[in-house]
Amino acid sequence: MYKHPRQEIEAYSLPPFEANSVGNLRYITVHNSLKRYCMLEPSSSSSSSSLVSPAYAVLSNASSAYEDTSGSCVTDDFNDKIKELETVMMGPDSLDLVFDYNDSFDSTSCQETNSWRSTLEAISRRDLRADLVSCAQALSENDLMMAHSMMEKLREMVSVSGEPIQRLGAYLLEGLVAKLASSGISIYKSLNRCPEPASTELLSYMNILYEVCPYFKFGYMSANGGIAEAMKEENRVHIIDFQIGQGSQWVTLIQAFAARPGGPPRIRITGIDDMTSAYARGGGLSIVGNRLAKLANQFNVPFEFNSVSVSASEIKPKDLGVRPGEAVAVNFAFVLHHMPDESVSTENHRDQLLRMVKSLSPKVVTLVEQESNTNTASFFPRFKETMGYYDAMFESIDVTLPRNHKQRINVEQHCLARDVVNIIACEGADRVERHEPLGKWRSRFEMAGFTSYPLSPLVNSTIKSLLRNYSDKYRLEERDGALYLGWMQRDLVASCAWK
């Protein structure tokens, strides 16, 4: 999941929505001698269990402050930590930023006001999903009074420790609040600048998500299957990974090559780093290279590691050091959606990168991406798509991790929520989470000169074996040479290969 490096800023907070006053939305400074906090304070009428639009890790040390309550009743201390966690970080550029809607509301007719009140009364009779959609629709139609008032009601309906939709709703509401205040990028930057968990803690959260849900394993295993199939006759293999992370994807592939009849090939892996992974591992790519080299040595696989410290959008062929006689495999696992396309910049880094990779004459290129359509969608359809996608993901997490489990809160908070806020609240170049469905990726690859490389039936059967370890609500489907992993009726991740 995507994060930016931490930075330092002053912190600000958004005061509570007042029941009798729709206007006067403003930011105020919060000073603390120990930490900087960015929070949305609860209104005095809010119950102890109501939402204060949830936040991010202002509790940099909170993870160790309470015990794992999995399988037991939630303790008072645990509830206190949840209440602390349910805050929102806002980071406007000005201390004196004030939003005052009273002038426009004073002219509202009695008939319009009565209609508005009737709509608010109806909120309690609808479900949370419908309320979130209605709030987003009001915001998209610039009905600020309705959106603001619905947010006040929604605050009492969502919680980071509730049902899956309540937990997701907390982060969706946070994005809506930022959107209303026209501060999407401010809040997103605040999330990156306020205290984060220690690198070892962040890595543990990433590992937990990797284990409790099959999404990453599905992506890595399917990509590895495509590479192994394409390279089965090759003696010199060069794998270029555009977001190598912790390097965990290549452990099983190195082992598979070691068992290849006739002996393993000589393997060279070129890894491109990202800031989140570097922070989580606590150092540069040499850590990954040394770990993989040690593994390869154990299995008697000739191995070489090459690190690239250039961002993926700026990489040139010379940075990758492709050598004559090498069979090249390029891996795009959960990374291409971060590349801005023609809707963001005339440079169109997304298609430019694909054309550059094609110039390397790779034997296989693997693509793994979230099956979601948020790249060029306007705000309202983008909100509905995001809610549908992450609703399924949060439900799948709920099957494995108990709701009162502190690690579940941390995993969702640090690995998923930031993406949700970015998709909803940010626009232009500031929106870095830009997902496309496989149909659109297919068009981009074909325009770059690639042709489909169908995954073998062995990959399909291997993934089916993997899914036996998880809930039977996960489903695997093969369509047009690609594999789709879904939760119930919703496709979540797609994997395919190209040449």
Side-chain angles (χ1 to χ4, degrees), residues 61-83:
N61 298 317
S63 299
S64 60
Y66 54 89
E67 296 298 322
D68 183 352
T69 60
S70 175
S72 64
C73 295
V74 182
T75 65
D76 291 339
D77 181 58
F78 184 78
N79 283 327
D80 290 342
K81 293 305 176 184
I82 290 177
K83 290 300 296 177

Side-chain angles (χ1 to χ4, degrees), residues 176-194:
L176 291 173
V177 169
K179 189 73 173 177
L180 173 65
S182 299
S183 61
I185 187 56
S186 295
I187 186 173
Y188 186 68
K189 287 181 177 178
S190 296
L191 303 182
N192 297 308
R193 292 167 174 174
C194 290

Side-chain angles (χ1 to χ4, degrees), residues 207-258:
N207 287 337
I208 290 171
L209 185 62
Y210 179 84
E211 292 296 335
V212 301
C213 297
Y215 307 121
F216 291 103
K217 289 182 180 179
F218 160 79
Y220 294 162
M221 290 177 66
S222 58
N224 285 355
I227 294 173
E229 176 71 17
M231 300 298 178
K232 61 185 178 183
E233 303 294 337
E234 300 296 335
N235 294 320
R236 295 174 60 196
V237 175
H238 183 182
I239 300 170
I240 301 172
D241 190 345
F242 272 84
Q243 185 171 295
I244 196 167
Q246 312 307 320
S248 56
Q249 175 175 349
W250 308 117
V251 172
T252 55
L253 186 61
I254 290 174
Q255 294 172 337
F257 276 136

Side-chain angles (χ1 to χ4, degrees), residues 80-296:
D80 290 342
K81 293 305 176 184
I82 290 177
K83 290 300 296 177
E84 273 190 279
L85 177 62
E86 291 181 333
T87 59
V88 65
M89 302 178 187
M90 306 295 284
D93 296 327
S94 170
L95 288 171
D96 302 318
L97 182 61
V98 176
F99 294 90
D100 193 338
Y101 306 127
N102 285 334
D103 291 342
S104 61
F105 293 156
D106 288 342
S107 61
T108 304
S109 67
C110 292
Q111 182 178 1
E112 291 172 331
T113 301
N114 289 337
S115 175
W116 166 68
R117 287 173 177 169
S118 298
T119 300
L120 289 179
E121 290 173 358
I123 287 178
S124 61
R125 297 193 295 270
R126 301 200 306 268
D127 64 33
L128 178 55
R129 290 178 179 83
D131 296 340
L132 287 164
V133 170
S134 296
C135 184
Q137 183 173 12
L139 193 55
S140 70
E141 296 172 352
N142 206 33
D143 189 346
L144 302 183
M145 182 170 75
M146 176 62 70
H148 193 176
S149 299
M150 290 187 71
M151 288 176 187
E152 182 179 354
K153 297 292 185 181
L154 285 167
R155 294 170 68 202
E156 301 176 0
M157 302 170 67
V158 300
S159 169
V160 297
S161 60
E163 300 281 337
I165 187 58
Q166 287 181 297
R167 306 197 310 266
L168 172 60
Y171 302 116
L172 291 171
L173 179 56
E174 184 168 355
L176 291 173
V177 169
K179 189 73 173 177
L180 173 65
S182 299
S183 61
I185 187 56
S186 295
I187 186 173
Y188 186 68
K189 287 181 177 178
S190 296
L191 303 182
N192 297 308
R193 292 167 174 174
C194 290
E196 287 190 3
S199 61
T200 54
E201 292 176 342
L202 178 58
L203 183 58
S204 72
Y205 305 152
M206 295 165 67
N207 287 337
I208 290 171
L209 185 62
Y210 179 84
E211 292 296 335
V212 301
C213 297
Y215 307 121
F216 291 103
K217 289 182 180 179
F218 160 79
Y220 294 162
M221 290 177 66
S222 58
N224 285 355
I227 294 173
E229 176 71 17
M231 300 298 178
K232 61 185 178 183
E233 303 294 337
E234 300 296 335
N235 294 320
R236 295 174 60 196
V237 175
H238 183 182
I239 300 170
I240 301 172
D241 190 345
F242 272 84
Q243 185 171 295
I244 196 167
Q246 312 307 320
S248 56
Q249 175 175 349
W250 308 117
V251 172
T252 55
L253 186 61
I254 290 174
Q255 294 172 337
F257 276 136
R260 194 177 73 172
R266 178 175 294 276
I267 300 175
R268 189 157 71 99
I269 294 180
T270 292
I272 292 94
D273 207 359
D274 67 283
M275 298 304 294
T276 300
S277 299
Y279 175 71
R281 81 172 77 95
L285 282 176
S286 60
I287 297 175
V288 176
N290 292 336
R291 184 183 302 134
L292 293 178
K294 183 178 180 180
L295 175 73

